[in-house]
Amino acid sequence: MLIANIPLLPERASEQAAQVDYLFYFISGVTGAGTILVFVLLAYLCTVHRRKREGEQTPRILGSHKLEIFWSAIPLVLFLVMFAWGVVVFDQGYAVPADAPEVFVVGKQWMWKMQHPNGVREINELHLLVNQPVKITLISEDVIHSFGVPAFRDKIDLLPGRYVTTWYHPNKAGRYQLYCDQLCGVGHSQMIGWIHVMEKDEYDAWLNGKRTETLGPTDGSLAWEGRKLFLKLQCISCHNQKGRAPVLEGLYGSTVPLRDGSSVVVNENYIRESILKPLAKVHQGWEPIMPTFAGQLEDKHLNLSEEEALIRLIAFIKTLGPGQTPTPNEKFPPPIGAPTDPSKLPDGGKK
Ligand code: CUA
């Protein structure tokens, strides 16, 4: 489609971008044509049907059903096309492919903190692999922000206290601007950054450089860090096979019955709520005895905020499969993606 290549809009760097542009051009075209039509008719009718001589009488016209139907039905059809087309594009924009790796983004006044599944953390920069769909899960630590990437034709509001999700399919290597698209305080205009979409070799080189620089050889994945937190916070003393709380293996994505007779699908938001407000939705058959962990997760020493710690715990619980619940003496294997040989850990796997 030639018209979509007119350089009125930012560069397109995702599969979604062209779809959004076609819809945008259609809506702009229809409303633009409608506006022109109204003004042309106005000018024409004012000229042709003006009063031509003194005392000329205006004919009395009492409406026309044909005309009413004509100018109601045509806009209705056009608006319905916009609506249906918009629903399809919107739906594609939020239907995350199941196998897409997940990057977590935490927004705060006034910076972006990214956490990759392998544990790499970035500030105000996000490195992505070209042609690899990626799921982005976002939360705010304070006020509402908006993660906007014009080249991907995607923006999503970050809310405090709730995860939201979008996804990208970057299809062109390059460097693209990241903006905060929601006025969020005096530093709003500085809440900007860059998205780097890289070819495979370049991306691997970046990732390797990142890992040796900041992390040990086996340390690091989000799930693994979450596992360490799970042990450190003593979650394991209740959430084990003989404990006073349910085992969390294979929990993510399942539907659990609650004490009040309703049920809930275990997703990021439910896990988060259960850690911070354990009594809000208690699993049927279990006593409401879990203490809240609100205020206990932040680790200033590791420069880890509460939200970042929650993301790690969630990553651990998400990957926790049958037989993978750790014990204080590490008898059972760690979760998928985490190193399997505890002796290779810097601390020899003691904790
Ligand atoms: Cu964050 Cu504007």
Side-chain angles (χ1 to χ4, degrees), residues 12-29:
R12 283 200 295 265
S14 79
E15 296 287 315
Q16 173 85 355
Q19 304 308 314
V20 173
D21 286 357
Y22 296 149
L23 179 59
F24 176 76
Y25 283 124
F26 176 74
I27 294 174
S28 304

Side-chain angles (χ1 to χ4, degrees), residues 200-229:
K200 182 97 176 76
D201 310 350
E202 205 190 348
Y203 183 78
D204 288 346
W206 170 79
L207 206 58
N208 287 332
K210 233 16 199 189
R211 285 181 64 79
T212 47
E213 179 186 305
T214 55
L215 302 160
T218 53
D219 207 1
S221 78
L222 271 190
W224 179 254
E225 294 298 323
R227 185 178 190 268
K228 289 207 286 202
L229 271 175

Side-chain angles (χ1 to χ4, degrees), residues 173-209:
R175 196 170 78 126
Y176 308 104
Q177 196 107 47
L178 158 68
Y179 295 99
C180 180
D181 281 338
Q182 195 71 257
L183 183 61
C184 58
V186 293
H188 163 69
S189 62
Q190 283 113 59
M191 200 168 167
I192 49 175
W194 293 100
I195 309 284
H196 304 265
V197 178
M198 301 169 109
E199 300 289 350
K200 182 97 176 76
D201 310 350
E202 205 190 348
Y203 183 78
D204 288 346
W206 170 79
L207 206 58
N208 287 332

Side-chain angles (χ1 to χ4, degrees), residues 37-84:
L37 183 69
V38 166
F39 280 95
V40 166
L41 279 177
L42 191 66
Y44 170 77
L45 296 172
C46 286
T47 317
V48 170
H49 297 292
R50 71 185 191 280
R51 192 168 70 165
K52 289 176 189 97
R53 53 177 194 280
E54 221 26 62
E56 187 181 355
Q57 292 288 312
T58 309
R60 188 157 182 258
I61 300 169
L62 289 170
S64 158
H65 286 297
K66 272 188 200 153
L67 208 54
E68 294 276 359
I69 291 166
F70 173 76
W71 69 40
S72 302
I74 290 179
L76 178 70
V77 170
L78 286 171
F79 289 137
L80 281 177
V81 169
M82 286 177 198
F83 170 72

Side-chain angles (χ1 to χ4, degrees), residues 77-99:
V77 170
L78 286 171
F79 289 137
L80 281 177
V81 169
M82 286 177 198
F83 170 72
W85 190 349
V87 166
V88 170
V89 173
F90 181 87
D91 197 48
Q92 283 169 356
Y94 291 95
V96 187
D99 56 347

